[in-house]
Amino acid sequence: MAGLPVQIGQQYEAEIIGISHDGEGVGRVNGFTLFVAGALPGERALVRVGHLKKQYGYATLVELIEKSADRIAPDCVIYDECGGCQLQHLSYEAQLRVKRQQVVDNLVRIGKLAVAGEPTLGASPSSSFSEGIVVHPTLGMNDPWRYRNKAQVPFGEERGGLIGGFYAQGSHRIIDMEECLIQHEANDEVVARVKEIGSRLGIRAYSEETGTGLLRHVVVKVGFRTGEVMVVLVTNGTEIPRADEWIAGIREALPAVKSICHNINVRQTNVIFGDETRTLWGSEVIYDYIGEVKFAISARSFFQVNPVQTEVLYGKALEYAALTGGETVVDAYCGIGTISLFLAQRAGQVYGVEIVEEAISDARKNAELNGMTNVHFEAGPAEVVLPEWTRQGVRPDVIVVDPPRKGCDPALLATILELRPRRVVYVSCSASTLARDLRVLVDGGYGVAEVTPVDMFPWTVHVESVILMVRK
Ligand code: SAH
């Protein structure tokens, strides 16, 4: 492109000054921004420009000239091919710092909020503390490996045998995998055994290109606290040939398996599950705990994938809610009721709302499972249900929101500002929409008391945080 300080195909020395939300190094060449995968802040690198836009471009790393002290060798042998993790070349300590900084940068740039210890960008007073919002260090894991409780593994064939692993980055080519270092060991073990048994029984894998073959995905779930394992075979077709031999093989090799399910998905889609699930053997659900609360996990139900850090995240939310036993609490975007039930242990009455009907039915079952009677769940959009509750006279002391990446619906924020609860606890998985929403609440009369980032997904770029807002 004419007029730009760099050209496609040319090599330049770039100074890496930051890290993008995708985990790429943010490089500068003659004042122009280039995203460089694999480069880290503080490094200098020879890069080759691959792709240009008006304001920025993408370059590949040719050679590191100066290395960051935070650079480490990835532990995983398939790190580059897989793409599931983006930060294995960065030390864990540094990852936690980077994640905190991403939250800070979003609050300052998008929220125009003043953060303690940070230069302000024309920020207006945003906090009840004149020094600005306190953003705590990221709460990380003592052992940041093997944290996932769920594996969803696509199956294919190679030289007549079954393979199962992951899609090569940016493609749908399946690469066989023996272990994934962020998965619980039980999940790796189950996948390996299922591969063996399937191959022995002559099961064919589904092919996306031809739409033929049977086995599409193997989904494995493990309860960290209970040790219970569920195996779900997702097939293209309603029958599994030699199902009894599958079951016997799995039970013999894997005594921790409590549930073997069959999900049928005959559609040509990359959505993993189809609509119909049958229990082939054992229980329909497995159980796990977050803190003292017990949850039933079915083949399809959503459950947080890092149970250890979920307890840390919800513990922070509970702390910020500052419940004394009599409060009315609303949990908007409640999923299967995980946060609601966690809060119900200390609240007077909890109201949970969630748009997915199935999740609400799980939430109700989970309340029953724990003998909790002070929770009420309703299916529907939070921005519609909360005003209905308001009309019915519900007056929350605390509102907790845990929205999807796109953040809170503006109508929900408006209702919160009308209801004026003493505290709002915001659990966020997207720092940019968080910053946008906090701005609205600050303008509406709330002060951001504090922010705690929590690392739910070590070695990946995802950042979660919990925010306490207090009515002024
Ligand atoms: N708090 C839960 C789930 C949070 S994920 C947990 O920790 O497990 C966000 C949830 O918001 C999803 O379950 C999604 O289905 C739900 N959701 C999305 N849009 C919504 C809306 N407009 N109203 C209510 N829930 C919504």
Side-chain angles (χ1 to χ4, degrees), residues 313-398:
L313 186 77
Y314 294 176
K316 243 323 142 191
L318 187 61
E319 178 193 321
Y320 284 175
L323 302 175
T324 59
E327 290 85 353
T328 299
V329 181
V330 164
D331 178 15
Y333 308 95
C334 73
I336 60 164
T338 20
I339 296 179
S340 317
L341 297 181
F342 213 70
L343 297 173
Q345 302 175 101
R346 305 262 187 87
Q349 176 69 38
V350 177
Y351 295 85
V353 53
E354 154 67 45
I355 204 158
V356 176
E357 299 259 359
E358 227 176 348
I360 285 296
S361 126
D362 283 339
R364 288 182 181 135
K365 280 183 212 154
N366 286 326
E368 203 174 319
L369 185 65
N370 291 281
M372 291 184 178
T373 51
N374 60 337
V375 239
H376 170 81
F377 289 110
E378 206 156 309
E383 61 275 16
V384 174
V385 173
L386 186 57
E388 274 167 19
W389 284 341
T390 307
R391 280 193 290 279
Q392 290 161 19
V394 175
R395 293 289 174 269
D397 301 293
V398 181

Coordinates of all heavy atoms in Angstrom, one line a residue, residues 313-398:
L313 N -13.2 -17.4 41.8 CA -14.0 -16.4 41.2 C -15.2 -16.1 42.0 O -15.6 -15.0 42.3 CB -14.3 -16.8 39.8 CG -15.0 -15.8 38.9 CD1 -14.0 -14.7 38.4 CD2 -15.6 -16.5 37.7
Y314 N -16.0 -17.2 42.3 CA -17.2 -17.0 43.0 C -17.0 -16.6 44.4 O -17.8 -15.9 45.0 CB -18.1 -18.3 43.0 CG -18.5 -18.7 41.6 CD1 -19.2 -19.9 41.4 CD2 -18.3 -17.8 40.5 CE1 -19.7 -20.2 40.1 CE2 -18.8 -18.2 39.2 CZ -19.4 -19.4 39.1 OH -19.9 -19.8 37.8
G315 N -15.9 -17.0 45.0 CA -15.5 -16.6 46.4 C -15.4 -15.1 46.4 O -15.8 -14.4 47.4
K316 N -14.7 -14.6 45.4 CA -14.6 -13.1 45.3 C -15.9 -12.4 45.1 O -16.2 -11.4 45.8 CB -13.7 -12.8 44.1 CG -12.4 -12.1 44.3 CD -12.3 -11.1 45.3 CE -10.9 -11.2 46.0 NZ -10.6 -10.5 47.2
A317 N -16.8 -13.0 44.3 CA -18.1 -12.4 44.1 C -18.9 -12.4 45.4 O -19.5 -11.4 45.7 CB -18.8 -13.2 43.0
L318 N -18.8 -13.5 46.1 CA -19.4 -13.6 47.4 C -18.9 -12.6 48.4 O -19.7 -11.9 49.1 CB -19.3 -15.0 48.0 CG -20.0 -15.4 49.2 CD1 -21.5 -15.3 49.0 CD2 -19.7 -16.8 49.7
E319 N -17.6 -12.4 48.4 CA -17.0 -11.4 49.3 C -17.5 -10.0 49.0 O -17.8 -9.2 49.8 CB -15.4 -11.5 49.1 CG -14.6 -10.5 50.0 CD -13.2 -10.4 49.5 OE1 -12.6 -11.5 49.2 OE2 -12.6 -9.3 49.5
Y320 N -17.5 -9.7 47.7 CA -17.9 -8.4 47.2 C -19.4 -8.1 47.5 O -19.8 -7.0 47.7 CB -17.6 -8.2 45.7 CG -16.1 -7.9 45.4 CD1 -15.7 -7.8 44.1 CD2 -15.2 -7.7 46.4 CE1 -14.4 -7.6 43.8 CE2 -13.9 -7.5 46.2 CZ -13.5 -7.4 44.8 OH -12.1 -7.2 44.6
A321 N -20.2 -9.2 47.5 CA -21.6 -9.1 47.8 C -21.9 -8.7 49.2 O -22.9 -8.2 49.6 CB -22.4 -10.3 47.4
A322 N -20.9 -9.0 50.1 CA -20.9 -8.7 51.5 C -22.3 -9.1 52.2 O -22.9 -8.2 52.8 CB -20.6 -7.2 51.7
L323 N -22.7 -10.3 52.0 CA -24.0 -10.7 52.5 C -24.0 -11.0 54.0 O -23.0 -11.5 54.5 CB -24.5 -11.9 51.7 CG -24.6 -11.8 50.2 CD1 -25.0 -13.1 49.5 CD2 -25.6 -10.7 49.9
T324 N -25.1 -10.7 54.7 CA -25.1 -10.9 56.1 C -26.2 -11.9 56.4 O -26.4 -12.3 57.6 CB -25.4 -9.7 56.9 OG1 -26.6 -9.1 56.5 CG2 -24.2 -8.7 56.7
G325 N -27.0 -12.4 55.4 CA -28.0 -13.4 55.7 C -29.4 -13.0 55.3 O -30.2 -13.9 55.0
G326 N -29.7 -11.7 55.3 CA -31.1 -11.3 55.0 C -31.4 -10.7 53.6 O -32.5 -10.4 53.3
E327 N -30.3 -10.5 52.9 CA -30.4 -9.8 51.6 C -31.2 -10.4 50.5 O -31.2 -11.7 50.4 CB -29.0 -9.4 51.1 CG -28.2 -8.4 51.9 CD -27.5 -9.1 53.0 OE1 -27.6 -10.3 53.3 OE2 -26.7 -8.4 53.7
T328 N -31.8 -9.6 49.7 CA -32.4 -10.0 48.4 C -31.3 -9.8 47.3 O -30.8 -8.7 47.2 CB -33.6 -9.2 48.1 OG1 -34.6 -9.4 49.2 CG2 -34.2 -9.6 46.8
V329 N -31.0 -10.9 46.6 CA -30.0 -10.8 45.6 C -30.5 -11.2 44.2 O -31.3 -12.2 44.1 CB -28.8 -11.7 45.9 CG1 -27.7 -11.6 44.9 CG2 -28.3 -11.4 47.3
V330 N -30.1 -10.5 43.2 CA -30.5 -10.9 41.8 C -29.2 -11.4 41.1 O -28.2 -10.8 41.2 CB -31.1 -9.8 41.0 CG1 -31.1 -10.1 39.5 CG2 -32.5 -9.6 41.5
D331 N -29.3 -12.6 40.5 CA -28.1 -13.1 39.7 C -28.6 -13.1 38.2 O -29.4 -14.0 37.8 CB -27.7 -14.5 40.1 CG -26.6 -15.1 39.3 OD1 -25.9 -14.4 38.6 OD2 -26.4 -16.3 39.4
A332 N -28.2 -12.1 37.5 CA -28.6 -12.0 36.0 C -27.6 -12.8 35.2 O -26.4 -12.8 35.6 CB -28.6 -10.5 35.6
Y333 N -28.0 -13.4 34.2 CA -27.2 -14.3 33.4 C -26.7 -15.5 34.2 O -25.5 -15.7 34.3 CB -26.0 -13.5 32.8 CG -26.3 -12.2 32.1 CD1 -26.3 -11.0 32.8 CD2 -26.6 -12.3 30.7 CE1 -26.6 -9.8 32.1 CE2 -27.0 -11.1 30.1 CZ -27.0 -9.9 30.8 OH -27.3 -8.7 30.1
C334 N -27.6 -16.2 34.8 CA -27.2 -17.1 35.9 C -26.8 -18.5 35.4 O -26.3 -19.3 36.2 CB -28.3 -17.3 36.9 SG -29.7 -18.2 36.3
G335 N -26.9 -18.9 34.1 CA -26.6 -20.2 33.6 C -27.3 -21.3 34.4 O -28.5 -21.2 34.6
I336 N -26.6 -22.3 34.9 CA -27.2 -23.4 35.6 C -27.3 -23.0 37.1 O -27.4 -23.9 37.9 CB -26.5 -24.7 35.4 CG1 -25.0 -24.6 35.9 CG2 -26.5 -25.1 34.0 CD1 -24.3 -25.9 36.1
G337 N -27.1 -21.8 37.4 CA -27.4 -21.3 38.8 C -26.1 -21.4 39.7 O -26.3 -21.3 40.9
T338 N -25.0 -21.5 39.1 CA -23.8 -21.7 39.9 C -23.6 -20.6 40.9 O -23.4 -20.8 42.1 CB -22.5 -21.9 39.0 OG1 -22.8 -21.4 37.7 CG2 -22.1 -23.3 38.9
I339 N -23.6 -19.3 40.4 CA -23.4 -18.2 41.3 C -24.6 -18.0 42.2 O -24.4 -17.8 43.4 CB -23.1 -16.9 40.5 CG1 -21.8 -17.0 39.7 CG2 -23.0 -15.7 41.5 CD1 -21.5 -15.8 38.9
S340 N -25.8 -18.2 41.7 CA -27.0 -18.0 42.5 C -26.9 -18.9 43.8 O -27.2 -18.5 44.9 CB -28.2 -18.4 41.7 OG -28.2 -17.9 40.5
L341 N -26.6 -20.2 43.5 CA -26.6 -21.2 44.7 C -25.4 -20.8 45.6 O -25.6 -21.0 46.8 CB -26.5 -22.6 44.1 CG -27.7 -23.0 43.3 CD1 -27.5 -24.5 42.8 CD2 -29.0 -22.9 44.0
F342 N -24.3 -20.4 45.1 CA -23.2 -20.0 45.9 C -23.6 -18.9 46.8 O -23.3 -18.9 48.0 CB -22.1 -19.6 45.0 CG -20.7 -19.9 45.5 CD1 -20.3 -21.2 45.6 CD2 -19.9 -18.9 45.9 CE1 -19.0 -21.5 46.1 CE2 -18.6 -19.1 46.4 CZ -18.2 -20.4 46.5
L343 N -24.3 -17.9 46.3 CA -24.8 -16.7 47.1 C -25.9 -17.1 48.0 O -26.0 -16.5 49.1 CB -25.2 -15.6 46.1 CG -24.2 -15.0 45.2 CD1 -24.8 -14.0 44.3 CD2 -23.1 -14.3 46.0
A344 N -26.7 -18.0 47.6 CA -27.9 -18.4 48.4 C -27.5 -18.9 49.8 O -28.3 -18.9 50.7 CB -28.8 -19.4 47.7
Q345 N -26.3 -19.4 49.9 CA -25.8 -19.9 51.2 C -25.8 -18.9 52.2 O -25.8 -19.1 53.4 CB -24.3 -20.5 51.0 CG -24.2 -21.6 50.0 CD -22.7 -22.0 49.8 OE1 -22.3 -23.0 50.3 NE2 -22.0 -21.2 49.0
R346 N -25.7 -17.6 51.8 CA -25.5 -16.5 52.7 C -26.6 -15.4 52.6 O -26.5 -14.4 53.3 CB -24.2 -15.8 52.5 CG -23.0 -16.6 52.5 CD -22.3 -16.6 53.9 NE -21.1 -17.3 53.9 CZ -19.9 -16.8 53.5 NH1 -19.8 -15.5 53.2 NH2 -18.8 -17.5 53.5
A347 N -27.5 -15.6 51.6 CA -28.5 -14.5 51.4 C -29.9 -14.9 51.9 O -30.1 -16.1 52.3 CB -28.6 -14.3 49.9
G348 N -30.8 -13.9 51.9 CA -32.2 -14.2 52.3 C -32.9 -14.9 51.2 O -33.4 -16.0 51.3
Q349 N -32.9 -14.2 50.0 CA -33.6 -14.7 48.8 C -32.8 -14.4 47.6 O -32.3 -13.2 47.4 CB -35.0 -14.1 48.8 CG -35.8 -14.5 47.5 CD -36.2 -15.9 47.5 OE1 -36.6 -16.5 48.6 NE2 -36.2 -16.6 46.4
V350 N -32.6 -15.4 46.7 CA -31.9 -15.1 45.5 C -32.8 -15.3 44.3 O -33.6 -16.3 44.3 CB -30.6 -16.0 45.4 CG1 -29.9 -15.8 44.0 CG2 -29.7 -15.8 46.5
Y351 N -32.7 -14.4 43.3 CA -33.5 -14.6 42.1 C -32.5 -14.7 40.9 O -31.6 -13.9 40.8 CB -34.3 -13.3 41.8 CG -35.4 -13.1 42.8 CD1 -35.2 -12.5 44.0 CD2 -36.7 -13.6 42.5 CE1 -36.2 -12.3 44.9 CE2 -37.7 -13.4 43.4 CZ -37.5 -12.7 44.6 OH -38.5 -12.5 45.5
G352 N -32.6 -15.8 40.2 CA -31.7 -16.1 39.0 C -32.4 -16.0 37.7 O -33.5 -16.6 37.6
V353 N -31.9 -15.4 36.7 CA -32.5 -15.3 35.4 C -31.4 -15.7 34.3 O -30.3 -15.3 34.4 CB -33.2 -14.0 35.1 CG1 -32.2 -12.8 35.3 CG2 -33.7 -13.9 33.7
E354 N -31.9 -16.4 33.3 CA -31.0 -16.9 32.3 C -31.9 -17.2 31.0 O -33.0 -17.6 31.2 CB -30.4 -18.2 32.8 CG -29.9 -19.2 31.8 CD -28.8 -18.7 31.0 OE1 -27.8 -18.2 31.5 OE2 -28.8 -18.9 29.7
I355 N -31.3 -16.9 29.9 CA -32.1 -17.0 28.6 C -32.3 -18.4 28.1 O -33.3 -18.7 27.4 CB -31.5 -16.1 27.6 CG1 -32.5 -15.6 26.5 CG2 -30.3 -16.7 26.9 CD1 -32.1 -14.4 25.8
V356 N -31.4 -19.4 28.5 CA -31.5 -20.7 28.0 C -32.4 -21.6 28.9 O -32.0 -21.8 30.1 CB -30.1 -21.4 27.8 CG1 -30.3 -22.8 27.4 CG2 -29.3 -20.6 26.8
E357 N -33.6 -22.0 28.4 CA -34.5 -22.8 29.2 C -33.9 -24.0 29.9 O -34.1 -24.3 31.1 CB -35.7 -23.3 28.3 CG -36.5 -22.3 27.6 CD -37.8 -22.0 28.3 OE1 -38.1 -22.7 29.3 OE2 -38.5 -21.1 27.8
E358 N -33.1 -24.8 29.1 CA -32.5 -26.0 29.6 C -31.6 -25.7 30.8 O -31.6 -26.5 31.8 CB -31.6 -26.6 28.5 CG -31.8 -28.0 28.3 CD -30.9 -28.4 27.1 OE1 -30.4 -27.6 26.3 OE2 -30.8 -29.7 26.9
A359 N -30.9 -24.6 30.8 CA -30.0 -24.2 31.9 C -30.8 -23.9 33.1 O -30.4 -24.3 34.2 CB -29.2 -23.0 31.5
I360 N -32.0 -23.3 33.0 CA -32.8 -22.9 34.1 C -33.4 -24.2 34.7 O -33.5 -24.4 35.9 CB -34.0 -22.0 33.7 CG1 -33.4 -20.6 33.5 CG2 -35.1 -22.0 34.7 CD1 -32.9 -19.9 34.8
S361 N -33.7 -25.2 33.9 CA -34.2 -26.5 34.4 C -33.1 -27.2 35.2 O -33.3 -27.7 36.3 CB -34.8 -27.3 33.3 OG -34.2 -28.6 33.2
D362 N -31.8 -27.1 34.7 CA -30.7 -27.6 35.5 C -30.5 -26.8 36.8 O -30.2 -27.4 37.8 CB -29.4 -27.4 34.7 CG -29.2 -28.5 33.6 OD1 -29.9 -29.5 33.7 OD2 -28.5 -28.3 32.6
A363 N -30.7 -25.5 36.7 CA -30.5 -24.6 37.9 C -31.5 -25.1 39.0 O -31.2 -25.2 40.2 CB -30.7 -23.2 37.6
R364 N -32.8 -25.3 38.6 CA -33.8 -25.7 39.6 C -33.4 -27.1 40.2 O -33.6 -27.3 41.4 CB -35.2 -25.8 38.9 CG -35.7 -24.4 38.6 CD -37.1 -24.4 38.0 NE -37.5 -23.1 37.7 CZ -38.1 -22.7 36.5 NH1 -38.4 -23.6 35.6 NH2 -38.5 -21.5 36.4
K365 N -33.0 -28.0 39.3 CA -32.6 -29.3 39.9 C -31.4 -29.2 40.9 O -31.4 -29.9 41.9 CB -32.1 -30.2 38.7 CG -33.3 -30.8 38.0 CD -32.8 -31.8 36.9 CE -33.7 -31.8 35.7 NZ -33.1 -32.1 34.4
N366 N -30.5 -28.3 40.5 CA -29.3 -28.1 41.4 C -29.7 -27.5 42.8 O -29.2 -27.9 43.8 CB -28.2 -27.2 40.7 CG -27.5 -28.0 39.7 OD1 -27.3 -29.2 39.8 ND2 -27.1 -27.4 38.6
A367 N -30.7 -26.6 42.7 CA -31.2 -26.0 44.0 C -31.8 -27.1 44.8 O -31.5 -27.2 46.0 CB -32.3 -25.0 43.7
E368 N -32.6 -28.0 44.2 CA -33.2 -29.1 44.9 C -32.2 -30.1 45.5 O -32.2 -30.5 46.6 CB -34.1 -29.8 43.9 CG -35.2 -30.6 44.6 CD -36.1 -31.2 43.5 OE1 -36.5 -30.4 42.5 OE2 -36.5 -32.3 43.6
L369 N -31.2 -30.4 44.6 CA -30.1 -31.3 45.0 C -29.4 -30.8 46.3 O -28.9 -31.6 47.1 CB -29.1 -31.3 43.9 CG -27.9 -32.2 43.9 CD1 -28.3 -33.7 43.9 CD2 -27.0 -32.0 42.7
N370 N -29.3 -29.5 46.5 CA -28.7 -28.9 47.7 C -29.7 -28.5 48.8 O -29.3 -27.9 49.8 CB -27.9 -27.7 47.3 CG -26.7 -28.1 46.4 OD1 -25.7 -28.5 47.0 ND2 -26.8 -28.0 45.1
G371 N -31.0 -28.9 48.6 CA -32.0 -28.5 49.6 C -32.1 -27.0 49.8 O -32.4 -26.6 50.9
M372 N -31.8 -26.3 48.7 CA -31.9 -24.8 48.9 C -33.3 -24.3 48.4 O -33.7 -24.5 47.3 CB -30.9 -24.1 48.1 CG -29.5 -24.3 48.6 SD -28.3 -23.4 47.7 CE -26.8 -23.8 48.5
T373 N -34.0 -23.7 49.3 CA -35.4 -23.2 49.0 C -35.5 -21.7 48.8 O -36.5 -21.2 48.5 CB -36.3 -23.7 50.1 OG1 -35.8 -23.2 51.4 CG2 -36.5 -25.2 50.1
N374 N -34.4 -21.0 49.1 CA -34.4 -19.5 49.0 C -33.9 -19.0 47.6 O -33.3 -18.0 47.6 CB -33.6 -18.9 50.1 CG -32.2 -19.3 50.1 OD1 -31.8 -20.4 49.6 ND2 -31.3 -18.5 50.7
V375 N -34.1 -19.8 46.6 CA -33.7 -19.4 45.3 C -34.9 -19.6 44.3 O -35.6 -20.6 44.4 CB -32.6 -20.2 44.6 CG1 -31.4 -19.4 44.3 CG2 -32.2 -21.4 45.6
H376 N -35.1 -18.6 43.4 CA -36.1 -18.6 42.4 C -35.5 -18.4 41.1 O -34.8 -17.4 40.9 CB -37.2 -17.5 42.7 CG -38.2 -17.4 41.6 ND1 -39.3 -18.2 41.5 CD2 -38.2 -16.5 40.6 CE1 -40.0 -17.8 40.5 NE2 -39.4 -16.8 39.9
F377 N -35.7 -19.4 40.1 CA -35.1 -19.2 38.8 C -36.2 -18.9 37.8 O -37.3 -19.5 37.8 CB -34.4 -20.5 38.4 CG -33.1 -20.7 39.2 CD1 -33.0 -21.7 40.2 CD2 -32.0 -19.9 39.0 CE1 -31.9 -21.9 40.9 CE2 -30.9 -20.0 39.8 CZ -30.8 -21.1 40.7
E378 N -35.9 -18.1 36.8 CA -36.8 -17.9 35.7 C -36.0 -17.8 34.4 O -35.0 -17.2 34.3 CB -37.5 -16.5 36.0 CG -38.9 -16.5 35.3 CD -39.8 -15.5 35.9 OE1 -40.0 -15.6 37.2 OE2 -40.4 -14.7 35.2
A379 N -36.6 -18.4 33.3 CA -36.0 -18.4 32.0 C -36.5 -17.1 31.3 O -37.7 -16.8 31.3 CB -36.4 -19.6 31.2
G380 N -35.6 -16.5 30.6 CA -36.0 -15.3 29.8 C -34.8 -14.3 29.7 O -33.8 -14.5 30.4
P381 N -34.9 -13.3 28.9 CA -33.9 -12.3 28.8 C -33.9 -11.5 30.1 O -34.9 -11.0 30.6 CB -34.3 -11.4 27.6 CG -35.5 -12.0 27.0 CD -36.1 -13.0 28.0
A382 N -32.7 -11.3 30.7 CA -32.5 -10.6 32.0 C -33.1 -9.2 31.9 O -33.8 -8.7 32.8 CB -31.1 -10.5 32.4
E383 N -33.0 -8.6 30.7 CA -33.4 -7.2 30.5 C -35.0 -7.1 30.5 O -35.5 -6.0 30.7 CB -32.8 -6.5 29.3 CG -33.2 -7.2 27.9 CD -32.2 -8.4 27.6 OE1 -31.5 -8.9 28.5 OE2 -32.2 -8.8 26.4
V384 N -35.7 -8.2 30.3 CA -37.1 -8.3 30.4 C -37.6 -8.7 31.7 O -38.5 -8.2 32.3 CB -37.7 -9.2 29.3 CG1 -39.2 -9.4 29.4 CG2 -37.3 -8.6 27.9
V385 N -36.9 -9.8 32.3 CA -37.4 -10.4 33.5 C -37.1 -9.5 34.7 O -38.0 -9.4 35.6 CB -36.7 -11.8 33.7 CG1 -37.1 -12.4 35.0 CG2 -37.2 -12.7 32.6
L386 N -36.0 -8.8 34.7 CA -35.7 -8.0 35.9 C -36.8 -6.9 36.1 O -37.3 -6.7 37.2 CB -34.3 -7.4 35.8 CG -33.9 -6.6 37.1 CD1 -33.9 -7.4 38.3 CD2 -32.4 -6.0 36.9
P387 N -37.2 -6.2 35.0 CA -38.3 -5.2 35.2 C -39.6 -5.9 35.6 O -40.4 -5.3 36.4 CB -38.5 -4.6 33.8 CG -37.1 -4.8 33.1 CD -36.6 -6.1 33.7
E388 N -39.9 -7.1 35.2 CA -41.1 -7.8 35.7 C -41.0 -8.0 37.2 O -42.0 -7.8 37.9 CB -41.2 -9.2 35.0 CG -41.9 -9.1 33.6 CD -41.8 -10.4 32.8 OE1 -41.4 -11.4 33.4 OE2 -42.0 -10.3 31.6
W389 N -39.9 -8.5 37.6 CA -39.7 -8.7 39.1 C -39.9 -7.4 39.8 O -40.4 -7.4 40.9 CB -38.3 -9.3 39.3 CG -38.1 -10.8 39.0 CD1 -39.2 -11.7 38.8 CD2 -36.9 -11.5 38.8 NE1 -38.6 -12.9 38.5 CE2 -37.3 -12.8 38.5 CE3 -35.6 -11.1 38.8 CZ2 -36.3 -13.8 38.2 CZ3 -34.6 -12.1 38.5 CH2 -35.0 -13.5 38.3
T390 N -39.4 -6.3 39.2 CA -39.5 -5.0 39.9 C -41.0 -4.7 40.1 O -41.4 -4.2 41.1 CB -38.8 -4.0 39.0 OG1 -37.5 -4.4 38.8 CG2 -38.8 -2.6 39.7
R391 N -41.7 -4.9 39.0 CA -43.2 -4.7 39.1 C -43.8 -5.5 40.2 O -44.8 -5.1 40.8 CB -43.9 -4.9 37.7 CG -43.7 -3.7 36.8 CD -44.6 -3.8 35.6 NE -44.2 -4.9 34.6 CZ -43.3 -4.8 33.7 NH1 -42.6 -3.7 33.6 NH2 -43.0 -5.8 32.9
Q392 N -43.3 -6.7 40.4 CA -43.8 -7.6 41.4 C -43.4 -7.2 42.8 O -43.7 -7.9 43.8 CB -43.5 -9.1 41.1 CG -44.2 -9.6 39.9 CD -43.5 -10.9 39.3 OE1 -42.7 -11.5 40.0 NE2 -43.8 -11.2 38.1
G393 N -42.5 -6.2 42.9 CA -42.1 -5.7 44.2 C -40.7 -6.2 44.7 O -40.4 -6.0 45.8
V394 N -40.0 -6.9 43.8 CA -38.7 -7.4 44.2 C -37.7 -6.2 44.3 O -37.6 -5.4 43.4 CB -38.1 -8.4 43.2 CG1 -36.7 -8.8 43.6 CG2 -39.0 -9.7 43.2
R395 N -37.0 -6.0 45.4 CA -36.1 -4.9 45.6 C -34.7 -5.4 46.0 O -34.5 -5.6 47.2 CB -36.6 -3.9 46.7 CG -37.9 -3.2 46.3 CD -37.6 -2.1 45.2 NE -38.8 -1.5 44.8 CZ -39.6 -1.9 43.7 NH1 -39.2 -3.0 43.1 NH2 -40.7 -1.3 43.4
P396 N -33.9 -5.7 45.1 CA -32.6 -6.3 45.4 C -31.6 -5.4 46.1 O -31.6 -4.2 45.8 CB -32.0 -6.7 44.0 CG -32.7 -5.9 43.0 CD -34.1 -5.6 43.6
D397 N -31.0 -6.0 47.1 CA -29.9 -5.2 47.8 C -28.6 -5.3 47.0 O -27.8 -4.4 47.0 CB -29.6 -5.8 49.2 CG -30.9 -5.8 50.1 OD1 -31.3 -4.7 50.4 OD2 -31.5 -6.9 50.3
V398 N -28.5 -6.5 46.3 CA -27.3 -6.7 45.5 C -27.7 -7.3 44.2 O -28.5 -8.2 44.1 CB -26.3 -7.7 46.2 CG1 -25.0 -8.0 45.4 CG2 -26.0 -7.3 47.7

